[in-house]
Amino acid sequence: NPYILATLLFGLGLGTTITFASSHWLLAWMGLEINTLAIIPLMAQHHHPRAVEATTKYFLTQATAAAMLLFASTTNAWLTGQWDIQQMSHPFPLTLITLALALKIGLAPMHTWLPEVLQGLDLTTGLVLSTWQKLAPFALLLQIQNVNPTILVTLGLASTLVGGWGGLNQTQLRKVLAYSSIAHLGWMILILQYSPSLTLLALLTYFVMTFSTFLVFKLNKSTSINTLAISWTKAPILTSLTPLVLLSLGGLPPLTGFMPKWLILQELAKQDLAPLATLAALSALLSLYFYLRISYAMTLTMSPNNLTGVTPWRFSSPQLTLPLAIATTATISLL
């Protein structure tokens, strides 16, 4: 029903906006809750057992994270008498809140729910989960001052490594995208303490790249690496561009995805964290490998040329192709 859909999307926007606008922990928590409750019917809308399972997993993790956040902020108010997000000073609630937000967005080692949940959803809801749902917790992470840098660096490094290793063994595209999300979030968290503006830049470029990737897979109706082999017949022009989009996600130099990584490595080196920068750069190579594998499956594997398979791309809908064209162009050539 379009009315219900509109209401849910409004709730999704409202929850994030409330969290953005709040300076009080209770209000921020409320925004996160509205956000979670609005996306749950969207996730379970297909009534497929797998979708319902993913929705349940998502609900449980988000509820746990929200409860942790509420507990930490109450503890903070009890210890310091402060409810203000900017004014947090006590290390215990600070650490707890950082971990709660890390669980909310799926940073390693609290990442295990993300691939499972994303795999059970359709590509549109998966896109919302990979982009919009990251905004509110990130707004809170950016606002928390004086959190222990060791925690953030550990979370970030663990995420880039897990995102690289985890994606190597996957055949399902949504799981690969989930691990890619974990790796990108790791890069953002690594630099959060030293340069918040770079975190935002990385988040923005990640959104653009993920958008085009999800839309490409949606246009091809492909969910596993095997189904990518027939994409030549479905959308020939797009198929020749997709490897560039994927390599941009991996962060290959002339493409957009290289920009945030380059600047982040530069900033880490300025902060005398050369070993950390080296490890992060090496973990990016792992991610690059599985993006290359998908590109290989998509463009270098030719399917038998059948005429019935050629028809869909001639009639693809403009609602999908226009955003796809914009996002793809941005992903490939913004650098």
Side-chain angles (χ1 to χ4, degrees):
N1 188 324
Y3 296 114
I4 294 175
L5 183 67
T7 311
L8 291 174
L9 289 174
F10 173 72
L12 204 62
L14 181 74
T16 308
T17 316
I18 288 176
T19 307
F20 274 6
S22 59
S23 58
H24 190 289
W25 272 117
L26 274 182
L27 210 58
W29 168 79
M30 222 153 60
L32 290 170
E33 284 297 282
I34 293 172
N35 206 349
T36 305
L37 290 176
I39 200 173
I40 278 174
L42 290 174
M43 293 167 80
Q45 64 186 337
H46 289 300
H47 297 302
H48 188 273
R50 189 71 187 79
V52 176
E53 182 194 335
T55 312
T56 313
K57 285 176 179 170
Y58 182 74
F59 174 70
L60 290 173
T61 49
Q62 296 299 309
T64 311
M68 262 173 82
L69 190 95
L70 195 57
F71 171 65
S73 49
T74 318
T75 311
N76 182 57
W78 179 46
L79 291 169
T80 61
Q82 279 286 354
W83 278 103
D84 202 292
I85 296 179
Q86 310 267 350
Q87 304 293 334
M88 293 197 68
S89 52
H90 201 283
F92 174 66
L94 262 175
T95 308
L96 208 53
I97 275 182
T98 312
L99 291 177
L101 291 171
L103 177 60
K104 255 202 178 310
I105 52 179
L107 283 167
M110 286 82 80
H111 68 281
T112 39
W113 60 273
L114 187 59
E116 290 298 318
V117 168
L118 207 57
Q119 180 55 33
L121 304 179
D122 67 320
L123 290 166
T124 322
T125 324
L127 176 61
V128 174
L129 186 69
S130 302
T131 54
W132 186 258
Q133 291 299 89
K134 308 269 188 262
L135 284 172
F138 250 102
L140 294 176
L141 276 170
L142 281 164
Q143 283 182 74
I144 303 173
Q145 261 97 40
N146 54 28
V147 64
N148 187 351
T150 323
I151 297 172
L152 285 180
V153 162
T154 312
L155 284 171
L157 200 59
S159 298
T160 53
L161 289 166
V162 164
W165 281 120
L168 292 178
N169 210 9
Q170 302 298 333
T171 55
Q172 296 294 324
L173 292 177
R174 283 166 295 185
K175 277 195 175 170
V176 169
L177 286 169
Y179 280 110
S180 129
S181 170
I182 295 166
H184 279 273
L185 288 171
W187 280 87
M188 294 168 214
I189 293 294
L190 269 180
I191 201 68
L192 191 67
Q193 279 284 290
Y194 310 108
S195 171
S197 52
L198 269 185
T199 298
L200 284 174
L201 175 77
L203 191 65
L204 199 66
T205 47
Y206 166 69
F207 277 12
V208 172
M209 296 184 301
T210 310
F211 204 72
S212 51
T213 316
F214 267 98
L215 288 184
V216 165
F217 292 157
K218 191 175 164 53
L219 191 74
N220 278 332
K221 295 187 177 62
S222 48
T223 51
S224 73
I225 291 185
N226 288 347
T227 48
L228 281 178
I230 55 170
S231 54
W232 266 120
T233 48
K234 288 181 184 169
I237 302 159
L238 196 62
T239 306
S240 50
L241 288 178
T242 311
L244 290 175
V245 174
L246 289 165
L247 293 177
S248 183
L249 258 175
L252 209 65
L255 306 161
T256 312
F258 177 57
M259 173 174 54
K261 289 190 174 172
W262 182 19
L263 294 169
I264 285 171
L265 289 175
Q266 189 182 358
E267 184 62 37
L268 286 174
K270 274 186 199 163
Q271 301 285 348
D272 288 337
L273 294 169
L276 190 69
T278 314
L279 270 170
L282 288 173
S283 71
L285 288 176
L286 291 167
S287 307
L288 198 58
Y289 175 77
F290 62 76
Y291 294 126
L292 261 172
R293 205 173 97 218
I294 299 176
S295 312
Y296 183 89
M298 196 163 182
T299 50
L300 298 180
T301 318
M302 287 292 282
S303 62
N305 205 355
N306 57 338
L307 280 173
T308 45
V310 180
T311 43
W313 69 277
R314 301 182 196 278
F315 308 114
S316 54
S317 61
Q319 302 96 288
L320 185 59
T321 41
L322 180 68
L324 179 58
I326 297 168
T328 309
T329 314
T331 305
I332 293 172
S333 54
L334 263 183
L335 183 58

